[in-house]
Amino acid sequence: MGVLPGPLPSLLLGLLLTSAAAVLGANPGLVARITDKGLSYAAQEGLAALRRKLQEISLPDFDGDFKISRIGRGNYEFHSLDIRSWELRSSVLRPLPSHGLSLSISDAAVHVEGRWKVKMNRFLKLQGSFDVQVMGVSITVNLVLGSESSGRPTVTASSCNSYIQKVEVDLSGGLGWLLKLFHDTIESKFRRILESKICEIVEKSVASDLQPYLQTLPVTAGINSFLDVDYSLMEAPRAAAQILDVMFKGEIFHHDHRSPVALLPPVLSLPEDHSQMVYFAISNYVFNTASLVYYKAGYMNFSVTDDMIPSDSPFRLTTSSFRAFAPRIARLYPNMNLELQGGVVSAPLLKLSPGNLSVTPQIEIEGFVLLPNSVKKPVFRLGVAANVSATLNFNTSRITGILDPGKLQVELKESKVGVFNEELMGGFLNYFMLNTVYPEVNGLPVLGCQRPAHESLRARKKRPQLDLCIPDVRLIPGDSQRTETRTSFLSSGGEVCLAPTPQASAPSPLRPQTSHSALAWTASPS
Amino acid sequence: MAPARCLLLLLLPLLRVLAGTSQPPLLEPCELDDEDIRCACNFLDPEPDWSSALQCTVAVDVEIRAGGRSLEQFLKRVDLQADPRQYVDLVKALRVRRLTVGAAQVPAPLLFGLLRVLAYSRLKELTLEDLEVTGAPPPMPLGATGLGISTLRLRNVSWAAGGAWLAQMQRWLKPSLLKVLNIAQANSLVLACEQVLSFPALTTLDLSDNPGLGERGLVGVLCPHKFSALQNLVLRNAGMETPNGVCAGLVTAGVQPHSLDLSHNSLRATPNIGDPQCIWPSTLNSLNLSFAGLEQVPQGLPAKLNVLDLSCNKLKRAPRLDELPKVGNLSLQGNPYLLAEASFLQENAMNSEPGMALACARSHLAVGVSGTLAVLQGVRGFA
């Protein structure tokens, strides 16, 4: 899996800070937990970004009066202050119970350059440039994380402390020797000013930059050409001693028409463990909302005709071949083709139990005879019950799953052509699935991972994309007919895509989590 | 019902024309009856439509005749080493309980492959007729379950393996389930007894219609200690000569049947000179000596029997009590001495005489015609 590259932590940070208002009493579909380990990693990685941001801070001009005994009064002005560089050595980002986050930067150094002007006794004007090295800067700011009704996060700085250990001022220009006399005063003045300014700047930045930015974050993202996911926050992120939990709604809906979902997300309980950096918990709610969308959009209907059967197959979709199931069909409809139309009776819902996923779709298939006058005459109806389950295994850098397709059970609902041997139909369908369908489907991603061709790069950047692929299915002959899925995490340009890779580069521990209704896994870079 | 069925089979082509339905006049090799119980296939054409047999998957009684052709071509088309898991569900869904396969030259690997596949089905009775089994059987796959039939019937089956055929076949069955074994018109009944496993559940052994068997042959078939559960031994038209000789055979083989059917043999009443008197197994309580052409009650019968059938023989006089064993149910009808008495006693002698003679004659006719299962079934339905 390798090291989590740069964009991901910022994505994580961004994800963390995208809070949304809570619908009181409703459970989230997706919970992300970041521990103090994860936060410190994020802080480290984010230092570079922070440094760039801090460099953009513009220090205001400041001036003041001074009085030198026996010489007179004057006033000084420091202007065109320019931060040349920051040195951030250590930063600590910690969850603050009942608040949010606490960010402390310690032992930082700033290098400021600027120009100074001094007017004294109304006739003496001096100016020059100066160089300030500020050392031992410590900033501690407490951020309160909340959520608002639109599902977006809010952040406010509740308290800020700063401390500067030492300031070294180097003045150059006319009568610098004079100012050297006031070195200490200048330095301590600088120190006091900077100390107060830092917190002012931070608080202002949070209020006028960070918070408005958070307001612009989207709460929905596109998954593929018609699916969107609503990941607005259900409530304010919950901070405890070593963990920060962010509760996302996780509802998948159709891009064009969103309808209320009649499903209730189950309670998600993450294990107490906080030895890893990040934990994700996803409940069956997310998958089931997707299933509902697919079902309503008609993607779960299918139609099979004789031309779909490979030409070398001895069995065809004709009344002749179907004599095996319904002996009289060829006498009633000699030498005609059949068409099977089927679909699920209701959206199949995923059930999650410790270490195991299962789904039991109920399918109804109707058989039609294609009469010579192009009329489709229904001749039989079957109910097919499938029981597909998967057991997930987590090892080193891969999630592997063993898919058990289960046996299809066929029930005859109606036959207009006499006796129908539904057990033989069931046996045949099972045989057909295992030997023809599963090998064909091997390697096909189920969701997404293919961007819509018409979307330009610019449009994509505007609409944040979350490419989510379900791991592909590989048929591996074993002691029973099982398939194995492989997936690993890849990250490229801010997208998280689960895709098959033959090898993982560096091992990084993935821990399995089991809960009664949720799938959870963790990640930490090496 | 049975006569109707045999009529249907024999007059199949005619019936089709007479039915006058709107179906195309093409003759289908397979026919499924209206109740979806019986499916009979007769592939006579040089290039028959084999797919017609698909209709038989719903039938309980299936009969397939291949018109005497060689089935060598199928050996290439089927994979005999295929993993059974692939087809287990398909085979389990077949409803067939009674299967008849006949009229073909079949390679042994194909035949035993069929037995292996059918092991997963609900088949209970298997009949093989008019087959020539060629070649050597395939190696037995590991962990394969045997075909759990309770009745196996063979008629006019010739084996390349000669006397070892039963031992070979046994390995593909579940011997603990086989209850009835019929072997008729076999070319060789000298079995390789040391290879044969025992049949712990076999209660009925029918060796009828083997005119060349004889009492000596009987010993060759009844492998010692392999038929320990045998209760009914049927030896109609099996070349038996005397009941005493049969008894000696039984004693040699160590079988103790409860009922013995020696009808339709040409039996002699007196044993061979020099043959010792045989002690019948004490378990024997039913003996059928009808249609045996006996002119007198044979010597050397068991002392006590529940049922003794001497009907339709040629007894000229009523047997004396000392000739007969102690019998609970004695049957003597159809013998000449009784007919003579009957015609003397009854007024409408014309009715009874031909009636009785007819009963004995009809049965004779049935035995005489061999190789026509349908007619035989019809008669069995009557009898």
Side-chain angles (χ1 to χ4, degrees):
Chain A
M1 177 175 162
V3 178
L4 277 175
L8 187 55
S10 54
L11 175 74
L12 275 175
L13 208 56
L15 261 180
L16 283 175
L17 296 177
T18 54
S19 308
V23 176
L24 284 169
N27 296 314
L30 173 69
V31 173
R33 167 177 290 182
I34 186 162
T35 61
D36 49 352
K37 283 205 185 115
L39 286 173
S40 32
Y41 180 81
Q44 259 174 274
E45 296 292 313
L47 272 184
L50 190 62
R51 197 179 298 130
R52 276 195 303 276
K53 192 77 187 144
L54 289 174
Q55 240 166 288
E56 289 161 22
I57 292 176
S58 58
L59 290 175
D61 305 340
F62 62 94
D63 58 355
D65 299 320
F66 67 91
K67 179 181 167 194
I68 307 171
S69 58
R70 279 183 297 152
I71 293 179
R73 293 198 163 98
N75 77 336
Y76 62 88
E77 193 189 318
F78 287 98
H79 65 98
S80 307
L81 295 167
D82 179 32
I83 299 179
R84 301 304 300 169
S85 68
W86 272 94
E87 236 176 71
L88 297 169
R89 282 196 197 91
S90 75
S91 66
V92 172
L93 190 59
R94 276 192 338 260
L96 203 59
S98 311
H99 264 74
L101 292 173
S102 151
L103 173 67
S104 356
I105 294 171
S106 56
D107 207 21
V110 190
H111 180 202
V112 181
E113 277 178 4
R115 297 198 57 77
W116 57 267
K117 271 191 209 158
V118 162
K119 273 196 201 135
M120 209 169 136
N121 289 344
R122 269 191 270 147
F123 61 89
L124 189 62
K125 284 189 193 160
L126 299 166
Q127 59 180 23
S129 60
F130 70 91
D131 213 277
V132 179
Q133 294 275 7
V134 186
M135 287 167 290
V137 183
S138 307
I139 312 171
T140 305
V141 59
N142 288 346
L143 300 167
V144 175
L145 299 175
S147 65
E148 43 124 40
S149 57
S150 71
R152 290 186 177 83
T154 61
V155 61
T156 49
S158 67
S159 72
C160 177
N161 288 317
S162 63
Y163 171 74
I164 296 176
Q165 196 185 24
K166 189 168 163 204
V167 171
E168 272 178 17
V169 180
D170 186 17
L171 301 162
S172 62
L175 281 182
W177 57 267
L178 182 64
L179 293 168
K180 282 196 174 66
L181 292 174
F182 301 99
H183 212 249
D184 288 341
T185 322
I186 293 170
E187 276 181 357
S188 65
K189 195 97 174 163
F190 248 100
R191 201 171 135 263
R192 272 199 308 275
I193 289 165
L194 276 177
E195 260 180 16
S196 66
K197 283 286 178 220
I198 283 174
C199 270
E200 211 181 283
I201 288 163
V202 166
E203 278 161 13
K204 187 162 146 282
S205 179
V206 166
S208 59
D209 293 333
L210 187 56
Q211 172 59 25
Y213 166 70
L214 292 180
Q215 288 304 105
T216 62
L217 288 175
V219 287
T220 63
I223 299 175
N224 62 21
S225 57
F226 63 96
L227 280 185
D228 285 356
V229 62
D230 175 359
Y231 57 91
S232 56
L233 294 191
M234 300 296 286
E235 53 180 275
R238 270 185 239 157
Q242 281 161 303
I243 54 177
L244 180 73
D245 285 342
V246 187
M247 272 68 67
F248 299 95
K249 188 165 190 194
E251 180 187 315
I252 295 182
F253 59 94
H254 195 288
H255 183 68
D256 296 325
H257 37 263
R258 183 172 182 171
S259 49
V261 167
L263 298 167
L264 275 180
V267 173
L268 277 183
S269 55
L270 281 91
E272 287 306 310
D273 191 24
H274 49 78
S275 52
Q276 302 294 316
M277 288 194 188
V278 179
Y279 292 79
F280 287 105
I282 183 166
S283 76
N284 56 8
Y285 177 76
V286 180
F287 299 106
N288 290 339
T289 49
S291 172
L292 276 174
V293 174
Y294 274 110
Y295 171 69
K296 280 186 196 147
Y299 280 85
M300 292 189 177
N301 295 328
F302 62 88
S303 166
V304 186
T305 50
D306 186 53
D307 47 3
M308 292 176 184
I309 313 272
S311 50
D312 59 348
S313 162
F315 185 87
R316 308 215 61 86
L317 215 60
T318 57
T319 53
S320 267
S321 287
F322 261 66
R323 277 182 296 183
F325 311 117
R328 307 199 184 282
I329 197 172
R331 262 174 252 172
L332 293 166
Y333 305 101
N335 292 321
M336 290 181 210
N337 280 0
L338 289 170
E339 184 177 313
L340 299 176
Q341 285 179 11
V344 284
V345 171
S346 59
L349 298 178
L350 187 71
K351 289 188 243 327
L352 288 173
S353 61
N356 193 2
L357 302 95
S358 71
V359 62
T360 52
Q362 301 287 328
I363 304 165
E364 202 167 273
I365 300 181
E366 191 157 8
F368 294 88
V369 168
L370 303 174
L371 294 174
N373 54 1
S374 302
V375 168
K376 281 187 203 174
K377 191 153 178 330
V379 284
F380 61 81
R381 245 177 347 110
L382 302 168
V384 180
N387 188 348
V388 183
S389 65
T391 328
L392 294 181
N393 290 312
F394 301 82
N395 50 13
T396 60
S397 55
R398 286 193 212 163
I399 305 174
T400 53
I402 297 184
L403 184 73
D404 181 2
K407 290 268 165 85
L408 297 173
Q409 304 277 355
V410 177
E411 188 198 329
L412 180 70
K413 301 261 179 187
E414 191 195 346
S415 167
K416 295 187 181 146
V417 286
V419 67
F420 197 102
N421 191 347
E422 69 260 30
E423 297 133 332
L424 190 64
M425 185 77 183
F428 180 76
L429 280 177
N430 279 316
Y431 178 86
F432 179 68
M433 293 298 281
L434 283 165
N435 294 309
T436 312
V437 174
Y438 287 131
E440 287 282 324
V441 158
N442 260 355
L444 285 181
V446 175
L447 272 186
C449 269
Q450 279 139 12
R451 302 197 179 90
H454 61 272
E455 264 201 359
S456 68
L457 185 66
R458 199 188 254 180
R460 257 206 339 269
K461 285 207 163 120
K462 278 193 191 150
R463 192 167 92 105
Q465 279 274 14
L466 200 83
D467 280 11
L468 197 72
C469 322
I470 297 294
D472 63 338
V473 172
R474 281 191 204 288
L475 189 78
I476 296 190
D479 55 351
S480 58
Q481 296 117 351
R482 289 172 163 237
T483 59
E484 196 171 293
T485 64
R486 287 207 173 85
T487 184
S488 60
F489 285 98
L490 287 179
S491 172
S492 56
E495 293 151 345
V496 178
C497 179
L498 305 172
T501 51
Q503 282 289 354
S505 46
S508 77
L510 282 180
R511 286 277 180 81
Q513 305 291 336
T514 55
S515 97
H516 63 279
S517 61
L519 247 190
W521 66 91
T522 72
S524 62
S526 53
Chain B
M1 202 48 217
R5 280 190 193 154
C6 71
L7 204 62
L8 194 74
L9 276 172
L10 293 175
L11 301 175
L12 189 62
L14 193 59
L15 255 183
R16 274 214 165 262
V17 174
L18 291 176
T21 60
S22 61
Q23 289 154 23
L26 260 172
L27 265 175
E28 267 209 66
C30 295
E31 178 84 22
L32 179 67
D33 73 352
D34 288 333
E35 284 150 30
D36 307 320
I37 300 281
R38 214 179 118 86
C39 183
C41 294
N42 198 352
F43 296 107
L44 289 171
D45 284 341
E47 300 281 322
D49 175 22
W50 296 103
S51 71
S52 179
L54 287 174
Q55 297 170 71
C56 297
T57 65
V58 297
V60 176
D61 263 329
V62 176
E63 194 178 303
I64 300 179
R65 289 180 196 284
R69 76 191 66 230
S70 163
L71 299 181
E72 202 73 50
Q73 43 167 310
F74 288 105
L75 205 54
K76 290 187 288 267
R77 287 210 257 161
V78 295
D79 177 12
L80 293 166
Q81 303 302 322
D83 189 358
R85 279 175 301 164
Q86 288 188 352
Y87 55 74
V88 160
D89 290 330
L90 290 169
V91 176
K92 270 193 193 153
L94 295 174
R95 295 180 185 169
V96 61
R97 285 205 152 64
R98 291 178 284 278
L99 175 66
T100 300
V101 178
Q105 249 184 33
V106 53
L110 196 62
L111 178 67
F112 292 115
L114 178 70
L115 296 185
R116 184 180 174 216
V117 168
L118 289 172
Y120 299 101
S121 69
R122 293 171 253 187
L123 193 68
K124 285 282 163 261
E125 295 180 18
L126 177 64
T127 305
L128 302 175
E129 289 187 347
D130 305 317
L131 291 180
E132 191 187 323
V133 183
T134 59
M140 184 85 192
L142 290 166
T145 50
L147 178 56
I149 48 173
S150 61
T151 300
L152 175 63
R153 296 192 193 94
L154 293 133
R155 174 170 289 273
N156 192 13
V157 180
S158 66
W159 300 84
W165 67 267
L166 184 61
Q168 282 174 2
M169 184 140 205
Q170 215 178 4
R171 276 186 278 132
W172 298 82
L173 307 174
K174 274 199 186 125
S176 58
L177 289 182
L178 195 66
K179 291 202 182 86
V180 175
L181 178 59
N182 286 17
I183 309 169
Q185 291 179 271
N187 60 348
S188 154
L189 272 172
V190 181
L191 302 178
C193 278
E194 63 281 358
Q195 293 173 25
V196 173
L197 303 168
S198 82
F199 289 98
L202 194 75
T203 54
T204 301
L205 179 61
D206 186 331
L207 297 168
S208 306
D209 292 332
N210 290 298
L213 183 63
E215 287 142 21
R216 291 218 185 85
L218 186 62
V219 176
V221 174
L222 292 174
C223 297
H225 313 301
K226 312 284 179 167
F227 296 97
S228 46
L230 191 62
Q231 288 176 6
N232 308 315
L233 183 57
V234 181
L235 295 167
R236 294 183 183 194
N237 189 21
M240 298 296 137
E241 291 173 12
T242 61
N244 197 56
V246 176
C247 167
L250 296 180
V251 168
T252 313
V255 294
Q256 304 193 313
H258 296 203
S259 95
L260 178 62
D261 187 340
L262 293 174
S263 59
H264 303 284
N265 288 292
S266 298
L267 294 176
R268 284 198 324 271
T270 51
N272 290 327
I273 300 159
D275 279 352
Q277 174 90 338
C278 171
I279 315 279
W280 289 88
S282 54
T283 51
L284 191 70
N285 55 31
S286 169
L287 183 58
N288 186 339
L289 299 171
S290 58
F291 295 92
L294 290 165
E295 292 178 358
Q296 60 189 92
V297 178
Q299 293 170 10
L301 291 181
K304 188 167 184 280
L305 285 172
N306 281 356
V307 176
L308 176 60
D309 189 348
L310 286 164
S311 55
C312 297
N313 277 298
K314 294 195 182 136
L315 296 177
K316 295 198 174 68
R317 58 166 175 80
R320 295 188 310 268
L321 271 172
D322 63 339
E323 286 176 320
L324 291 170
K326 258 195 232 159
V327 182
N329 189 340
L330 177 62
S331 183
L332 290 165
Q333 76 232 33
N335 281 296
Y337 81 92
L338 280 175
L339 295 174
E341 281 174 25
S343 62
F344 196 70
L345 288 171
Q346 286 176 2
E347 280 181 32
N348 42 352
M350 298 302 285
N351 286 345
S352 62
E353 200 183 288
M356 283 216 181
L358 208 59
C360 290
R362 206 181 281 147
S363 290
H364 275 296
L365 179 67
V367 174
V369 176
S370 60
T372 310
L373 179 69
V375 182
L376 198 63
Q377 273 190 343
V379 169
R380 280 196 185 139
F382 262 111

